[in-house]
Amino acid sequence: MSERVDIMTPAFRADPYTPYAAMRREAPVCQVDPGGMWAVSRYADVATVLRSPERFSSQGFRAAWQPAWVGHNPLASSILAMDGPDHARLRGLVSRAFGAPAIARIEQRARDLCERLAGRLDGEVDFIAAAAAPLPAFVISELLGLDHALEPHFKRWMDDLLSVTPEPASAEHAARVRATIAELDRYMADVIAARRRSPSDDLVSELARAGELLGDREIIDLLVSILGGGLETTTHFLGSSMLLLAERPAELERLRASPQLIPRFIEEMMRYDGPTQSVPRLTTSDVALAGVTIPAGSLVLALVGSANRDEVRFTDPDRFDLHRGQPSLTFGHGAHFCLGAALARMEAKVALEVLVPRIGEVTRAPGEIPYNRTLTVRGPVSLPLRFRPA
Ligand code: HEM
């Protein structure tokens, strides 16, 4: 590969898997645009990056999401961006909130919501707006104990926070991102103050109670990272899943006939076209990987989306195969393994269990599918589909 690949072009966003294959073959550790970040594309090397925090620090999130023009970005200072004992302490405090009781508490309400959303899938519908975005927003509100009336704002907030790139797209983009961060800070600070006055059984109250261990700044950053971690990812997952079912009626038929295959569908979908494309890290020293030396202080993208299609790891990796039974790296690997993985799997299972039997037929409506433009996650921004109810 003679030229640097630009991982943000619409063509790359629409199909990253073809250029990934060339990168794995010809330049498994190389620099990419924008900005000359380093990209690691083979499964074994991606796994090495993710399980070696002493060489590949999670401060990579800070480098990716907090260039000077942004100022303080809660996502860039959160649990995602921490290493070592600080990270372990915070993870210990927050992980209980993601356990089986919390998931069980939310599941029935998520199922009720899906029943209501299923009624919208009739005729030509943007599946993202109709179902893929509302479900994760509802689940996060339940988890954190936020006002459901705010859910329409979640997407705008996260679109702005995740749109950060080394240089702003325009002066207007820079101003919008900074205004959104200020708005989020104000809103979360108000919620924390309210829960301190009258606690409830939600995550914000639990974190506010741990007040002597956590300051407001730390809680705000954490809440925003949970919002960021849980919203876009799950929305993209649901969108990409429905797109695959629209393009492959045989898979829809198979799930309708055998709903017990839904968990397998979810795992293979996470691998085949999962929402996580790259996980950023920062090198703490010069590091040699696949025969290339990455200088100290470099921003490295562990290309999980490419690792999941690595032919050395997965036989016939471009084939969607429900019976593969090999885990992917979509929820990460090592100390930062996704805290919300069980919650996300529950959401996906509930959505497919409710929606699949209600869909008689789903096909693509004409037109290109626009993909989002962020470093970390990928999925359709809108997804016009035609539904015929069963
Ligand atoms: C399909 C859905 C999801 C995917 C693909 C996904 C993926 C990931 C990945 C790859 C990481 C590791 C990042 C790293 O190593 O730096 C991560 C971490 C995290 N995820 Fe998820 N996630 C999903 C859903 C969720 C949900 C629903 C929540 C919460 C509501 C959530 C909350 C978090 C948090 C808090 C972390 C940080 C853990 C840590 O730094 O120790 N995620 N996720």
Side-chain angles (χ1 to χ4, degrees), residues 61 87 91 98 229-230 233 270 276 279 281 330-332 336 338:
F61 279 102
H87 171 253
R91 195 167 160 113
F98 290 93
T233 47
M270 289 285 173
T276 324
V279 177
R281 294 289 190 259
T330 299
F331 285 114
H336 287 270
C338 177

Side-chain angles (χ1 to χ4, degrees), residues 50-51 53 58 82 84 87-88 91 281 333-339:
L50 295 181
R51 62 162 183 263
S58 286
M82 293 177 170
H87 171 253
R91 195 167 160 113
R281 294 289 190 259
H333 184 58
H336 287 270
F337 183 82
C338 177
L339 273 171

Side-chain angles (χ1 to χ4, degrees), residues 262-271 328 331 345:
I262 286 175
R264 282 177 182 265
F265 175 88
I266 293 169
E267 293 318 306
E268 176 63 348
M269 194 63 208
M270 289 285 173
R271 181 197 73 83
S328 69
F331 285 114
R345 286 181 167 121

Side-chain angles (χ1 to χ4, degrees), residues 49 86 88 129 133 164 180 187 207 239 260 281 285 371:
V49 169
D86 285 348
V164 170
T180 293
Y187 172 67
L207 295 172
Q260 72 279 10
R281 294 289 190 259
S285 58
Y371 276 83

Side-chain angles (χ1 to χ4, degrees), residues 66-90:
Q66 198 164 277
W69 65 269
V70 173
H72 178 87
N73 179 352
L75 277 185
S77 306
S78 70
I79 185 166
L80 277 166
M82 293 177 170
D83 293 313
D86 285 348
H87 171 253
R89 176 187 67 102
L90 193 54

